[in-house]
Amino acid sequence: MQTVGRKLFLFLTITFSWVGNAQPGTIDSFEEQSQIVQDLSGFRWKMKKMRPGQGIQEGLHELPAEDIETLVWNPAQVPGDVYTDLWKAGVIEDPYFGRNTAKAQWVMYDEWWYALQFNVTEELGDKVVRLDFEGVDYSCEVWLNGTHLGSHEGAFSPFSFDITQSIRTSENRLSSQNILMIKLDPPPQVNFKVAGRKTPWFGDYWRDLVPFGIWRPIRLVATGQVRVENLYISSTLNDNGTAYAHVEVTLENTTKTPKEISVTAVLEGENFTSKPIKEKVIVKVPQGTHKVKKSILVKNPQLWWPWDLGKPNLYQAEVIIKEGPNELDRKTTTFGLRKVEMEWNPGFSKDEVSFPRTVKINGKNHFIRSACWGGPPDIFFGRTSVEEYMKLIQMAKEANMNNIRIFGWHPPEIPEFYQLCNEAGITVWQDVIPLGTGNLSREKEFLDGTIAEAVAVIKERRNNPCLILIEGGEEVFLRASDPKFTNDFLIRLGDSLQQYINLPYVPDSPLTSETALSVGYKPKEAVHALAYFYSMGNWLMEDWFSALNYPIVPELAITSVPSVESLKRFIPENELWPPGLSWGHHWADLDRLRAQNFDAFGDEKTGSLEEFVNATQDAQGIIFQLSVEHFRRGKPRVSGIALCHFITYWPDMKWGIIDNYQQPKRSYDYVKTAYQPLLVNLKFNKRRWQNTDFFQSQIWIVNDFYNIYKDCQIKLKIVNAEGETLNEKAYTIHQIKPNSSEKFFDIDVDILENVKDNFKVQLSLIDTNGVELSSNNYMFLIGDQEAASMQFKEMGKTIRERNGEFTYGNYYRFFPMMTKENQSDWKSGTETPRAKGFHD
């Protein structure tokens, strides 16, 4: 480190100042502020392409800090990603549009250098200065002013370098110039060698383009010689109505001299008003890292609850450390006082299941109305924003979801996601790291590194009260070549995680495959309800979901196409209709989409683009609604459902009910209905009725609230396709029990003799004041159930025969011109291959 006055001030083309734990732009002197933080995020970064190994050979890491050579490099953003930076610079075309991901594959075979130049002129004193990286995907090396600081692998684990001796400081602008150089290595190409340390880049809703970049912030941090490395708050609820907040502070003494340190913790309400609770201890801290623990009594605790069970009360904890009168460091965190327990699901024996699956929050059952997140909002992180997270979490709550599941094909989320869930009262069911694979490298270094990555992830997120369940893997056993090795690793992973957080852990989901059973798991652990889609044609929807009997449903999946407006943003105009190749590239399974339309409507709905798109969304919604209601009627035997997915991280045509442009599909409203905490609903055995049938069904009410409702009324109305009333009746309910699912009435009416095409049933639950508490509606078809089932099976047979000739991901199978079917062939770029089975 240059010693011209040991002062610190930053310039990134223009001057900005250190910011302590205050609002951006605040200027605090070192005498007043113990921890000084400057976020290096923004658009002042530059990037440059090099062949692997070329950057060091050419000496990019040795560029003089005073030079202006990076001025002509491409602009870049941190946090962000390489592809988005290149797209904005005009180097590549938008990867989301058409089939452009195939054109951008060259990017992932080069190394990319990111540079930031800044000045340091403000006095530093005896501060220790670190460069903190929250996350780089995947592998990087770092230099400051030509000094090699180190390297890192792993997308989710934060890392840090002490730069006290490397940073240049001076009151003179030229002498205070610094240059930070980061080399991003080409991303990995084989997932099983990096599983759990990088998001999987394969599966049936993404193409072969491996994301990488500096995806989370980098900060310069100056503290005293003793600092707070980590702050963890856990809680215990006492029988007398009080609670303990257990404060665990990890301190690091960077000197060789033991220090006498005072540690002060202050607790107070974050989203409610409370009197601060303050505790202080004095400890001797030798060199290195050491933990300080203190249990603080909270006499009148305001508990954190999921939104449908209570208020999501949040506390803030601030820890301040001093040596004598001098403040050295401080750290704050948000936490909640709550208790998470698990209870065995009634109706399943321990010969059928290995784990309790009913979540209890503060002693109350928390029936999980969830969706697999499907995020982040963009697989290329440079394209997303915190505002998008805010909108999406709000939409989840408005859809009556009380939980979001982050499963093992997707990464752990950014801090803002968990804070938004904390505030919204939405719980999180978390696969800690993305282990969406069945096979792992057996190298000890890899296994140890993966465990360390998971521990780093959980330590960063464990203070969030929204986090209630953790899992090890996602469908790991479905592809595990050595089930015992896989199981041993997943058990070791759970044991490691539970040293740092006291939450329920399940090794994998669903745990019902043949390989999982071979290592001792049970046949009814859970179900990934995917067979309707992947085995399309085997069952009509109601025959499929009614046969499922499991305590929990971690995945319930069906597909649809985004709106016409959204399609125009990523499908070339000449491929919009009939569907062109870009539909297949974006994972539209055109055969299955037509088939599920037939199941829902008795018609494939291929007459126009708008008709087809709307039908796929309605079909997705109908299937979700009816299957969700089936599972919810099964409570308490069933304790949760997670749809697959809520959102989609690029503009695909698969699982999400909200598209990549944050536009809800029509299916969103069906889910919102089915997830009403207080739900009036209809149970029936078939969707197709003949004119000679009596319409038979049952009226049920599911109540996830802990409220009693008395003297309510249910209004039933049945109308034909023209809206004419066929039957109307009111029913009185004396009491709806809390946390219940109950059948109230049977329906058996002769009204279908003159009905054509379809009819609808409308339900409304009204309280004694005339306020509507819940509403629902259903569409039924006039037709022959058995004949429709046979026709659907024939459609499934055709799908399977065509799939047998191609791998599942090969969308050429939909386009005769691509497969030379019927002597057709793609001969010219002026031609546009079209999917068969669609009308012009």
Side-chain angles (χ1 to χ4, degrees), residues 329-605:
D329 197 8
R330 63 173 63 199
K331 188 177 286 289
T332 62
T333 191
T334 297
F335 73 99
L337 299 173
R338 57 98 173 95
K339 183 178 183 180
V340 180
E341 300 171 282
M342 299 300 291
E343 188 174 81
W344 292 91
N345 291 41
F348 292 96
S349 72
K350 293 185 181 180
D351 291 329
E352 295 176 296
V353 296
S354 304
F355 304 96
R357 290 289 193 160
T358 297
V359 180
K360 299 180 80 70
I361 307 290
N362 306 328
K364 292 184 178 181
N365 283 17
H366 173 49
F367 187 97
I368 290 176
R369 305 187 305 273
S370 183
C372 298
W373 174 232
D378 283 276
I379 194 169
F380 298 139
F381 201 78
R383 299 178 76 128
T384 194
S385 67
V386 172
E387 288 72 25
E388 289 179 345
Y389 280 93
M390 293 172 65
K391 179 179 179 180
L392 292 169
I393 297 301
Q394 181 62 33
M395 292 174 75
K397 187 171 182 178
E398 289 174 356
N400 292 311
M401 295 179 187
N402 60 10
N403 178 273
I404 291 174
R405 179 176 181 241
I406 299 180
F407 74 160
W409 292 101
H410 295 262
E413 269 295 353
I414 61 174
E416 290 86 349
F417 168 87
Y418 299 93
Q419 181 61 13
L420 289 167
C421 290
N422 291 338
E423 294 169 356
I426 293 176
T427 61
V428 176
W429 174 1
Q430 174 94 48
D431 283 21
V432 176
I433 51 177
L435 285 173
T437 179
N439 297 289
L440 307 170
S441 170
R442 294 174 181 246
E443 296 178 4
K444 183 179 184 303
E445 182 180 359
F446 163 81
L447 297 173
D448 291 346
T450 303
I451 296 290
E453 195 88 2
V455 167
V457 167
I458 208 67
K459 287 177 68 176
E460 184 180 6
R461 292 158 179 81
R462 59 185 173 172
N463 286 333
N464 294 289
C466 65
L467 187 60
I468 61 162
L469 294 173
I470 56 175
E471 284 184 334
E474 167 69 11
E475 300 176 339
V476 169
F477 283 106
L478 296 184
R479 288 167 287 274
S481 59
D482 186 338
K484 184 180 184 307
F485 166 77
T486 300
N487 192 48
D488 290 345
F489 173 79
L490 292 172
I491 290 173
R492 177 190 168 194
L493 174 62
D495 291 343
S496 300
L497 293 171
Q498 289 182 317
Q499 293 180 40
Y500 296 90
I501 189 169
N502 182 25
L503 284 180
Y505 172 83
V506 175
D508 188 36
S509 183
L511 288 175
T512 49
S513 65
E514 182 179 349
T515 48
L517 297 178
S518 73
V519 292
Y521 295 107
K522 311 295 174 56
K524 290 290 184 179
E525 304 283 9
V527 63
H528 285 190
L530 316 175
Y532 175 83
F533 176 80
Y534 287 112
S535 300
M536 183 72 70
N538 278 3
W539 324 264
L540 295 174
M541 66 177 81
E542 60 269 36
D543 297 330
W544 165 68
F545 63 68
S546 63
L548 298 177
N549 176 29
Y550 295 85
I552 197 164
V553 187
E555 288 186 34
L556 171 61
I558 197 65
T559 63
S560 67
V561 176
S563 69
V564 173
E565 179 184 355
S566 291
L567 284 174
K568 290 178 179 179
R569 299 178 70 173
F570 67 94
I571 300 295
E573 184 177 358
N574 67 333
E575 295 186 31
L576 273 171
W577 191 259
L581 292 169
S582 293
W583 282 65
H585 188 76
H586 288 258
W587 285 98
D589 192 319
L590 296 167
D591 288 344
R592 286 177 170 84
L593 287 167
R594 289 161 52 210
Q596 71 187 44
N597 283 354
F598 170 81
D599 190 6
F601 303 105
D603 188 322
E604 295 182 14
K605 300 288 186 179

Side-chain angles (χ1 to χ4, degrees), residues 86-106:
L86 293 176
W87 170 46
K88 289 181 176 180
V91 179
I92 62 173
E93 300 175 73
D94 179 5
Y96 287 179
F97 189 78
R99 299 195 289 167
N100 286 344
T101 57
K103 299 177 184 179
Q105 290 184 355
W106 63 269

